[in-house]
Amino acid sequence: MSLDPATGEPVGEGRRLTISATDDIQPRFSPDGKRLAFTVRNLNRQLWALGRNPETGLATGDARVITEHGQLNYYPGASPDGMLLAWTSQNAGQGAIYYKLGLAGPERKLTREWDRSTREIGAAIAPDGEQVAFSSTSSGTYRLWRMPALDSVALQLTDGDRAGVDVQPAWSPDGKTLAFYSNRAGNWDIWTVDAITGGEPTPLIDWPSNELYAAYSPDGRHLAFVSTKTGDEDIYRYDLRSKESTPFVTHEATEGPGSWSPDGRWFYFTSNREGTFAIWRMPGDGGEPERFSRGALDMPEAALFTKFAVTQKDIIAPIEARRGDVYILDNLE
């Protein structure tokens, strides 16, 4: 875009310089303004599984890739036994929910009645191991939907004329409630809605800060969530009986989404407290964190806020491979 030399204001329309399926980023002009250097970046994010020891809560064995469809795969949800896995797969600009039965099973698209303009994100598996909740733009903006069973018809749970979006549902252990975060009231807050009938959501955590990524404890007593209440990203724990929230994981580093193991013995979360984003674990009722693995499943910055899933035997997380080259456009005049 040209600028007026006197005022620095834009003049005329912008001109497209590159046409590609890659991310073209970080442009830099040469001193004479006749050349433009920029980075051409390709991202490939697949889901990986890494075994975990239920006794120690730490990693076992080698990580193994479990997806192959699409260039970007993220937001995994899994049944406790790991027999049903659902996630967002993005290919050619469209994000859709895919699923597989067993980590080695074939990949299938969950919904089939919507066109390519619909976007779907954030799958969550019900405690019964059969239903899937997710967010979809089928009705215009991101709202919560539920699939009563695989290969069935999706049912819309949240609606309304309010602005904002409803994303990242989490099932209560009894399968009756979905917790999610939404900006329908302004900033991001934690809300709940009836998991079966839907209807008007109820705000659960309504602070002036942003609250994200709800996760129920297996015993149904607590709900963990990420909060910017102190200015940093920390994890708080809401007591569903006393209706009180207390700090759960706090550190000067950035903490990301968390999840309990199916037996409630361990709580896992992401953090960059050692300089690189990785998955950590601590006792389910609180305690001293320890890094889940060394090397395997360490998450780069762009993947920190794409949640992971914990099953009885594995942790499933998105691992992002980045490739890039520097290109130069000549003769910009």
Side-chain angles (χ1 to χ4, degrees):
M1 178 172 285
S2 297
L3 301 179
D4 186 311
T7 65
E9 296 295 324
V11 176
E13 298 292 330
R15 304 184 305 277
R16 185 170 184 173
L17 298 179
T18 63
I19 301 176
S20 67
T22 58
D23 290 331
D24 301 337
I25 60 175
Q26 300 172 334
R28 295 293 185 271
F29 279 108
S30 62
D32 60 10
K34 296 181 179 180
R35 294 182 296 169
L36 183 73
F38 61 97
T39 299
V40 174
R41 184 181 65 179
N42 282 287
L43 302 181
N44 187 277
R45 187 184 301 152
Q46 302 297 331
L47 297 184
W48 291 66
L50 182 62
R52 69 176 193 91
N53 185 318
E55 297 299 319
T56 66
L58 299 177
T60 61
D62 297 323
R64 57 200 188 277
V65 65
I66 58 174
T67 56
E68 57 185 20
H69 174 89
Q71 185 178 17
L72 298 176
N73 296 275
Y74 48 100
Y75 294 146
S79 59
D81 59 7
M83 293 307 297
L84 176 59
L85 174 68
W87 71 97
T88 300
S89 182
Q90 184 170 324
N91 195 16
Q94 183 193 26
I97 303 296
Y98 277 72
Y99 75 93
K100 61 165 56 186
L101 299 176
L103 299 187
E107 302 174 20
R108 297 184 175 95
K109 191 174 184 297
L110 183 68
T111 56
R112 293 177 172 83
E113 67 267 29
W114 297 332
D115 59 33
R116 287 188 58 83
S117 64
T118 298
R119 301 290 182 265
E120 305 165 351
I121 60 172
I125 311 299
D128 62 15
E130 297 181 0
Q131 302 179 81
V132 182
F134 58 96
S135 298
S136 170
T137 63
S138 179
S139 61
T141 188
Y142 281 113
R143 296 300 185 212
L144 298 191
W145 292 70
R146 175 176 64 89
M147 292 284 283
L150 300 179
D151 300 318
S152 63
V153 176
L155 305 174
Q156 187 169 352
L157 296 177
T158 61
D159 199 357
D161 298 328
R162 295 189 186 185
V165 300
D166 304 332
V167 292
Q168 298 301 330
W171 290 86
S172 61
D174 61 8
K176 296 180 179 180
T177 305
L178 286 171
F180 61 98
Y181 66 88
S182 174
N183 61 349
R184 56 172 53 214
N187 57 300
W188 295 108
D189 297 311
I190 304 295
W191 297 65
T192 61
V193 69
D194 190 293
I196 305 303
T197 62
E200 185 65 22
T202 301
L204 186 68
I205 309 295
D206 186 12
W207 296 348
S209 50
N210 291 319
E211 280 64 55
L212 317 161
Y213 294 103
Y216 283 97
S217 61
D219 61 9
R221 179 169 181 181
H222 294 104
L223 185 140
F225 58 92
V226 176
S227 175
T228 62
K229 184 177 183 179
T230 63
D232 297 321
E233 285 89 355
D234 293 316
I235 298 176
Y236 282 71
R237 185 175 62 177
Y238 179 79
D239 191 311
L240 291 161
R241 298 176 185 174
S242 67
K243 312 301 182 184
E244 295 181 351
S245 298
T246 55
F248 193 38
V249 184
T250 59
H251 195 274
E252 59 188 18
T254 297
E255 319 295 355
S259 180
W260 275 272
S261 59
D263 60 6
R265 183 170 183 176
W266 303 103
F267 182 78
Y268 295 87
F269 61 96
T270 56
S271 177
N272 66 345
R273 58 183 61 200
E274 285 190 352
T276 181
F277 291 117
I279 295 177
W280 291 66
R281 74 100 177 94
M282 69 181 194
D285 57 357
E288 188 64 27
E290 183 176 354
R291 192 159 168 166
F292 170 67
S293 67
R294 294 286 173 179
L297 292 190
D298 291 350
M299 303 170 73
E301 182 174 0
L304 174 66
F305 291 111
T306 53
K307 66 174 185 176
F308 55 91
V310 184
T311 72
Q312 294 171 352
K313 297 181 179 180
D314 297 284
I315 281 187
I316 299 164
I319 300 297
E320 185 174 87
R322 303 180 182 184
R323 295 180 179 178
D325 296 295
V326 176
Y327 280 72
I328 292 179
L329 282 175
D330 288 316
N331 303 319
L332 289 183
E333 295 178 324

